[in-house]
Amino acid sequence: MGSSVRKTSDKIKKLLKDTIDVNPSIECKEVIPQIALETLRSKKTKGYFADKDFAVLAGGGFACFKKAKEIGIDKFLQEYNIQYEKLTVIEVQKIIESILDNIVDEDGEIDSVLILAAFKSAMTSMILNKFEDPAEFLNVFCEKFISMIIREDANEALISMFKDTSAEILNNNIEKFSKNYVKKNFSEIIIKCNSGDIQINELIQKLQDVLKE
């Protein structure tokens, strides 16, 4: 995968340079969608979506929030001896680690640091905001995941080209793109999975098909 990563990075740098040469006053928000799509078309991104860890964590999180929706988020938290009113970030991390322990016991170790980070970030957001919709988890997980992939591939080039733009602004624009991308390309597939029309493995195959378009 190393050579394909270098090729993607080189393409991104060239794309940025060419764009800025044509329009030196262009803002990062105007160029990030182009850069992001280049990243999502890469072999590495398709490899991440095909990784067994993605399927395991997407399925594990989805199952958690199916249960949370059935019994209510308060009862779900009580199973971990936590009341929502007393919920802290530390308590959330304990819940996530407990959920991960169960996933690992059933499906084996998680090897991908990036997929695991996206899962933890999505779980944290869901629990802290008291969300219990399993479809919302899949949306948030994909949004976090795509944002992290784009940052991994493009952050260095974006920072070097937009020296006067803060990391916060760059991140906000990447997250905005990811949210819109998931809404436009993944939401209908996720709704079908949530309604039971397709299973998680079929969902992931359809997500991979979208990336090939």
Side-chain angles (χ1 to χ4, degrees), residues 8 11 15 33-46 149 153 181 210-213:
T8 303
K11 281 182 184 177
L15 181 58
Q34 254 184 310
I35 300 303
L37 286 172
E38 190 66 52
T39 300
L40 294 178
R41 292 188 188 109
S42 71
K43 286 183 181 178
K44 184 178 79 167
T45 297
K46 291 166 188 173
I149 290 170
D153 270 357
Y181 184 88
V210 168
L211 293 170
K212 292 173 186 174
E213 294 174 359

Side-chain angles (χ1 to χ4, degrees), residues 49-50 54-56 58-59 189 199-209:
F49 273 87
F54 185 83
V56 166
I189 305 169
Q199 301 302 309
I200 282 286
N201 61 334
E202 295 173 276
L203 166 79
I204 292 166
Q205 183 57 58
K206 288 181 183 297
L207 298 186
Q208 290 177 58
D209 291 342

Side-chain angles (χ1 to χ4, degrees), residues 96-153:
I96 294 170
E97 289 305 321
S98 178
I99 291 167
L100 279 170
D101 285 343
N102 291 334
I103 290 172
V104 168
D105 286 345
E106 192 167 328
D107 296 292
E109 291 293 332
I110 304 299
D111 298 317
S112 173
V113 174
L114 188 141
I115 298 172
L116 181 59
F119 175 81
K120 287 183 175 181
S121 181
M123 293 293 286
T124 300
S125 177
M126 290 288 293
I127 296 169
L128 281 177
N129 288 295
K130 209 175 182 181
F131 296 152
E132 56 185 37
D133 184 359
E136 181 68 12
F137 164 75
L138 290 176
N139 277 305
V140 174
F141 180 43
C142 288
E143 288 167 19
K144 302 283 187 187
F145 185 49
I146 287 172
S147 292
M148 287 179 182
I149 290 170
I150 295 167
R151 282 198 291 268
E152 185 179 62
D153 270 357

Side-chain angles (χ1 to χ4, degrees), residues 71-85 87 95:
I71 66 176
I73 194 72
D74 291 317
K75 284 186 179 178
F76 178 77
L77 293 174
Q78 284 170 14
E79 292 192 353
Y80 298 93
N81 299 316
I82 293 169
Q83 294 179 336
Y84 183 76
E85 293 73 19
L87 193 64
I95 294 170

